[in-house]
Amino acid sequence: MHVYLETERLILRRFTESDADDLFALDNDPDVMRYLNGGAPTPREVIDERVLPRLIAGGFFAALEKPAGRFLGWFHLRTVEGRPPDELELGYRLRKEAWGRGFATEGSVALIDKAFAELGAGRVFAQTMAVNLGSRRVMEKCGLRFARTFQIDWPDPIEGSEQGEVEYELLRSAWEAARS
């Protein structure tokens, strides 16, 4: 197992082919997918042929709860095409059973610290639907601040998409000031 990062309660490791069943369950929970595709199920072949290969390719990490190693979901910390290489995008998708227990904040804070302390990031940002108040609260708890609201022309709009997307950010200077 290639461990990328550990926190008090989490192990973040690279994805492998053996994660397909856990990803299928995660992406087929309508509550988990509510702000991503309106809660529609993800066919198994999409998990096997598109989702899992993308996660294995890099920047995505399976989140396991210590000590038992139970799959909770995933986090990502990655560069985004068209953005400067020192800007890293933070994201997460966790099982409903993990919500409200501080895992999203714990994993995100650890990844933010790694981004600035080890990876040379100048900026970390995260995006979600404006109506996704739970995810927005996690971003704020992690020290990210509201940067902008923007619109995306989705081919299949879902409830709440008319309110747009939001981006939160943390700049290196603000991270350094908070650590002083």
Side-chain angles (χ1 to χ4, degrees), residues 22 25-27 29 31-32 63 70-74 92-101 103:
D22 286 326
L26 180 69
D27 283 11
D29 181 327
D31 291 329
V32 169
R70 185 172 71 102
F71 179 84
L72 295 179
W74 56 257
Y92 41 83
R93 183 176 306 168
L94 298 177
R95 295 172 47 159
K96 191 168 36 183
E97 296 81 24
W99 295 359
R101 297 179 52 202
F103 288 116

Side-chain angles (χ1 to χ4, degrees), residues 111-133:
L111 286 169
I112 289 166
D113 287 345
K114 186 174 187 79
F116 290 118
E118 297 177 29
L119 304 177
R123 178 179 184 258
V124 173
F125 71 96
Q127 298 176 339
T128 190
M129 288 181 68
V131 295
N132 188 347
L133 300 179

Side-chain angles (χ1 to χ4, degrees), residues 78-80 82-88 119-123:
R78 62 185 180 156
T79 58
V80 176
R83 298 247 186 174
D86 72 335
E87 287 190 8
L88 299 177
L119 304 177
R123 178 179 184 258

Side-chain angles (χ1 to χ4, degrees), residues 15-35:
F15 273 94
T16 68
E17 297 289 335
S18 66
D19 293 313
D21 290 340
D22 286 326
L23 286 171
F24 180 71
L26 180 69
D27 283 11
N28 278 280
D29 181 327
D31 291 329
V32 169
M33 300 303 288
R34 176 180 174 197
Y35 297 114

Side-chain angles (χ1 to χ4, degrees), residues 5-55:
L5 184 110
E6 284 192 55
T7 69
E8 182 181 334
R9 300 179 301 154
L10 293 170
I11 295 171
L12 301 186
R13 64 155 172 82
R14 304 264 185 219
F15 273 94
T16 68
E17 297 289 335
S18 66
D19 293 313
D21 290 340
D22 286 326
L23 286 171
F24 180 71
L26 180 69
D27 283 11
N28 278 280
D29 181 327
D31 291 329
V32 169
M33 300 303 288
R34 176 180 174 197
Y35 297 114
L36 299 164
N37 67 8
T42 304
R44 180 60 188 238
E45 59 271 9
V46 171
I47 297 293
D48 293 340
E49 296 170 14
R50 289 200 316 241
V51 175
L52 187 55
R54 181 173 59 103
L55 301 182

